[in-house]
């Protein structure tokens, strides 16, 4: 895609070739739909009500073309994928240097809800993609009162999707009632002076941002907006300042896939973010956004089908950011640069 001039890539297809992309998504859907591995997230009780068969794939290009298959219009809560967009909002409000004093950019290698490092090291959450860092980031969103802040946040999401956004109240209440671990983190961060005294307000806003309803189509457009340097390719309106795309994609690349982030970067090679409701977004900068939705999760909290689809797309279209145009010398690695034949 874009890197090898002689290869067919997703962004240089002509109108007549569009059905081919649609056909590939259809093929991926049929290939991975039968997978039965993975478990629904249940630590937020409401999430356990999802249908494990839901499966949608959507690609949105920076020129506004959409390709989608399966349950791409099924609504679900955005969960951790929201962290990416709230991080962008905090960057715009506070600037990079001020934000860095409150939230770092270092991958943890730990589960998303780990609390241990907070106490161990700098007292500053390691990055904005784990829960501690995300709660600290959300606590920085400005507004006169909780309603203002929520509306401001929903408005930010509206710019990314191009339509009004709503909260799933039952998921919000479910998480708010059971989110003791997140509460513990917030109180520890308050103890260290990393967040202010309005702890419950910050937590409520965090639980609300995780409960924003999206579908796979929305997520692909949101991902394509990041790929398009902050401009929604469907509305032509800016959702986030172009200068912060670099910051957002960097933390997505190093920290976006829970404690699978290193392996993901190595294998798929794209900035991405995953959420416990089964969504994954991946960004091919200046080209397109990919979104997959399928609720059953692996042991690290990533959608099983989502990982498979993204690995497959990355191989087929050589999407890895560091793909080489030349083949490897070693016989076992010589399959590149024809990775579309690698399908297992
Ligand atoms: N609302 C979830 C939590 O804080 C987000 C988790 C996730 O999607 O990684 O537990």
């Amino acid at each position: 895609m874009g890197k090898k001039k002689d290869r067919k890539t997703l962004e240089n297809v002509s109108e007549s070739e569009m059905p081919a992309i649609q056909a590939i998504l259809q093929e991926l859907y049929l290939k991975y739909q039968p997978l039965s591995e993975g478990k629904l997230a249940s630590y937020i009780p409401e999430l356990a009500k999802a249908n494990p068969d839901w499966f949608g794939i959507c690609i949105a290009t920076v020129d506004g073309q959409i390709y989608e298959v399966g349950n791409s219009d099924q609504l679900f809560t955005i969960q951790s994928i929201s962290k990416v967009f709230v991080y962008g909002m905090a960057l715009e409000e506070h600037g990079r240097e001020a934000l860095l004093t409150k939230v770092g950019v270092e991958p943890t290698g730990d589960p998303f809800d780990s609390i241990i490092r907070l106490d161990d090291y700098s007292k500053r959450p390691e990055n904005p993609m784990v829960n501690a860092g995300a709660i600290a980031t959300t606590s920085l969103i400005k507004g006169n009162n909780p309603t203002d802040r929520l509306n401001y946040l929903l408005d930010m999401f509206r710019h990314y999707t191009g339509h009004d956004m709503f909260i799933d109240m039952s998921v919000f209440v479910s998480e708010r009632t059971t989110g003791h671990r997140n509460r513990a983190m917030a109180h520890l961060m308050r103890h260290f002076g990393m967040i202010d005294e309005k702890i419950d307000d910050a937590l409520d806003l965090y639980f609300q941002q995780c409960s924003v309803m999206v579908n796979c189509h929305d997520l692909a457009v949101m991902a394509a907006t990041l790929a398009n340097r902050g401009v929604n390719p469907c509305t032509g309106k800016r959702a986030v300042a172009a200068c912060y795309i670099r910051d957002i994609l960097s933390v997505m690349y190093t920290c976006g896939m829970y404690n699978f982030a290193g392996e993901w970067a190595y294998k798929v090679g794209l900035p991405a973010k995953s959420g416990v409701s089964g969504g994954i977004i991946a960004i091919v900068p200046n080209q397109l956004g990919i979104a997959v939705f399928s609720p059953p999760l692996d042991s690290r909290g990533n959608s099983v089908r989502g990982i498979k689809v993204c690995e497959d797309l990355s191989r087929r279209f050589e999407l890895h950011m560091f793909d080489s145009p030349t083949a490897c010398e070693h016989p076992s690695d010589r399959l590149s640069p024809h990775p579309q034949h690698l399908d297992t």
Side-chain angles (χ1 to χ4, degrees), residues 43-44 47 78-81 83 112-113 129 131 135 175 182 206-207 210-211 258 273-277 301:
Y43 75 98
I44 300 172
L47 293 185
I78 188 168
Q79 296 300 331
S80 252
I81 299 175
K83 295 169 180 172
F112 67 101
D113 57 355
M129 301 292 118
N131 284 8
I135 294 166
E175 182 164 0
N182 286 330
Y206 171 74
F207 297 143
C210 291
S211 306
Y258 303 126
K273 186 73 194 88
S274 178
V276 290
S277 50

Side-chain angles (χ1 to χ4, degrees), residues 252-253 256-257 260-273 280-283 302 306-308 310-311 320:
M252 288 176 79
Y253 192 74
M257 298 298 288
F260 183 68
E263 205 173 319
W264 169 277
Y266 181 79
K267 281 171 135 173
V268 180
L270 294 173
K273 186 73 194 88
I280 294 181
I281 58 169
I283 284 85
N302 293 310
I307 295 279
K308 291 280 184 204
C310 292
E311 285 178 353
H320 195 298

Side-chain angles (χ1 to χ4, degrees), residues 20-315:
I21 295 175
Q22 191 63 37
I24 287 172
L25 295 193
Q26 191 70 31
E27 183 193 325
L28 293 177
Y29 177 84
L30 293 174
K31 181 173 174 184
Y32 295 118
Q33 217 287 329
L35 281 181
S36 57
E37 296 149 43
K39 287 199 189 119
L40 299 175
S42 56
Y43 75 98
I44 300 172
E46 205 59 24
L47 293 185
K49 296 183 180 167
N51 180 344
D53 293 333
W54 283 336
F55 183 24
I57 311 172
C58 185
I59 286 179
T61 66
V62 295
D63 57 4
Q65 297 175 64
I66 308 278
Y67 307 93
E68 51 197 321
V69 291
N71 306 109
S72 63
D73 58 358
Q74 172 63 51
L75 287 171
F76 57 98
T77 54
I78 188 168
Q79 296 300 331
S80 252
I81 299 175
S82 64
K83 295 169 180 172
V84 168
F85 304 97
V86 178
Y87 182 54
M89 207 174 163
L91 279 164
E92 285 186 320
E93 284 188 0
H94 299 273
R96 172 176 300 143
E97 290 307 322
L99 194 53
L100 272 172
T101 65
K102 300 286 185 194
V103 186
V105 288
E106 205 57 37
T108 65
D110 293 331
F112 67 101
D113 57 355
S114 173
I115 198 168
I116 291 174
R117 275 172 190 262
L118 257 187
D119 200 24
D120 264 3
Y121 296 103
S122 63
K123 320 301 181 197
R124 179 186 67 160
E126 300 275 327
N127 70 68
M129 301 292 118
V130 291
N131 284 8
I135 294 166
T137 305
T138 300
S139 77
L140 295 170
I141 299 308
K142 292 179 184 161
N144 293 328
N145 53 56
T147 310
D148 260 16
R149 283 191 283 275
L150 175 60
N151 286 335
Y152 186 26
L153 195 124
L154 290 175
D155 216 39
M156 175 275 290
F157 282 116
R158 184 173 59 80
H159 285 107
Y160 279 98
T161 62
H163 60 77
D164 287 344
M165 302 300 288
F166 302 95
I167 303 281
D168 182 325
M169 285 308 287
S170 48
V171 174
F172 164 61
V173 171
S174 185
E175 182 164 0
R176 188 182 200 240
T177 314
T178 57
H180 306 300
R181 208 176 166 85
N182 286 330
R183 274 183 207 288
M185 280 180 219
H187 281 272
L188 194 56
M189 288 192 287
R190 174 64 195 139
H191 170 75
F192 293 137
M194 284 294 156
I195 65 175
D196 71 19
E197 68 287 349
K198 295 196 274 321
I199 304 173
D200 287 332
D201 286 356
L203 281 164
D204 274 355
L205 191 58
Y206 171 74
F207 297 143
Q208 283 162 334
Q209 80 176 55
C210 291
S211 306
V212 166
M213 289 189 286
V214 287
N215 59 29
C216 200
H217 178 118
D218 290 332
L219 284 184
V221 174
M222 294 167 88
T225 301
L226 295 176
N228 197 30
R229 309 220 59 83
V231 174
N232 180 323
C234 299
T235 63
K237 302 233 172 81
R238 179 162 292 286
V240 63
C243 68
Y244 294 123
I245 293 293
R246 189 191 81 170
D247 306 63
I248 297 168
L249 296 189
S250 300
V251 291
M252 288 176 79
Y253 192 74
T254 53
C255 315
M257 298 298 288
Y258 303 126
N259 39 340
F260 183 68
E263 205 173 319
W264 169 277
Y266 181 79
K267 281 171 135 173
V268 180
L270 294 173
K273 186 73 194 88
S274 178
V276 290
S277 50
I280 294 181
I281 58 169
I283 284 85
V284 186
N286 306 315
Q287 296 186 33
L288 51 93
I290 301 169
V292 189
F293 167 58
S294 166
L297 308 178
D298 62 21
S299 59
R300 269 102 158 224
N302 293 310
S303 165
V304 173
R305 293 189 186 103
I307 295 279
K308 291 280 184 204
V309 168
C310 292
E311 285 178 353
D312 206 318
L313 280 172
S314 176
R315 278 199 306 268

